[in-house]
Amino acid sequence: MPDGDEWQEARSGRDVEFAWCRACGSTSGVTRLVDRLERGGLATRETAPGDRRSTYAVLTAAGADKIDQALPAYSDAVRHWLIDQLTPEQLDGLLAALRILRDRLRPDSATITPPMAEDRTGTAAG
């Protein structure tokens, strides 16, 4: 998971896309999602610099706080239901496959350096 500084930098960048939204459904579905985030005070819409046809959904401070609150439980669930279910070899294979897909789908994307790998006991692997 990204640390606080990397997360702050990633969510404040104007070139960040909600690619996961595109995978979730139609553009009208994304519009409804952003509408709900706006009503909840969690995001705002901003016109893209240099392109009036494009709009960015930008997290507010309240939206960032919600993510910060949810992240520990989310991380625990991912660890329990995904990472802990795989052998180290299976996890290495999954990560290699995901990196290939990431690089092919978005070769220009900036990568966030993952924290040091931990073994299943929570101690740093060496």
Side-chain angles (χ1 to χ4, degrees), residues 9-17 46-49 56 58:
E9 181 180 323
R11 74 180 169 82
S12 63
R14 293 296 180 248
D15 63 339
V16 174
E17 291 183 25
E46 293 184 11
T47 302
Y56 291 107
V58 179

Side-chain angles (χ1 to χ4, degrees), residues 18 20-21 24 27-39 43 45:
F18 285 116
W20 56 268
C21 286
C24 293
T27 55
S28 64
V30 173
T31 298
R32 288 191 304 272
L33 171 63
V34 175
D35 288 343
R36 289 192 307 271
L37 291 171
E38 274 191 307
R39 280 194 303 274
R45 284 182 168 91

Side-chain angles (χ1 to χ4, degrees), residues 93-106:
L94 174 62
L95 292 173
L98 291 172
R99 286 183 182 121
I100 289 168
L101 292 173
R102 178 205 59 206
D103 293 345
R104 289 197 179 142
L105 293 171
R106 190 84 191 264

Side-chain angles (χ1 to χ4, degrees), residues 1-123:
M1 290 293 176
D3 68 21
D5 291 337
E6 289 170 326
W7 169 244
Q8 178 69 27
E9 181 180 323
R11 74 180 169 82
S12 63
R14 293 296 180 248
D15 63 339
V16 174
E17 291 183 25
F18 285 116
W20 56 268
C21 286
R22 289 189 286 176
C24 293
S26 65
T27 55
S28 64
V30 173
T31 298
R32 288 191 304 272
L33 171 63
V34 175
D35 288 343
R36 289 192 307 271
L37 291 171
E38 274 191 307
R39 280 194 303 274
L42 304 176
T44 60
R45 284 182 168 91
E46 293 184 11
T47 302
D51 184 1
R52 295 182 326 211
R53 298 169 298 165
S54 298
T55 303
Y56 291 107
V58 179
L59 284 178
T60 63
D65 288 344
K66 281 286 188 192
I67 288 177
D68 290 342
Q69 291 168 11
L71 213 51
Y74 174 79
S75 295
D76 289 346
V78 168
R79 177 170 293 281
H80 176 75
W81 292 108
L82 178 65
I83 296 170
D84 290 348
Q85 305 304 314
L86 301 174
T87 66
E89 295 79 18
Q90 291 169 326
L91 187 57
D92 287 344
L94 174 62
L95 292 173
L98 291 172
R99 286 183 182 121
I100 289 168
L101 292 173
R102 178 205 59 206
D103 293 345
R104 289 197 179 142
L105 293 171
R106 190 84 191 264
D108 61 334
S109 68
T111 59
I112 297 174
T113 305
M116 180 182 283
E118 294 182 357
D119 68 15
R120 305 233 184 224
T121 64
T123 57

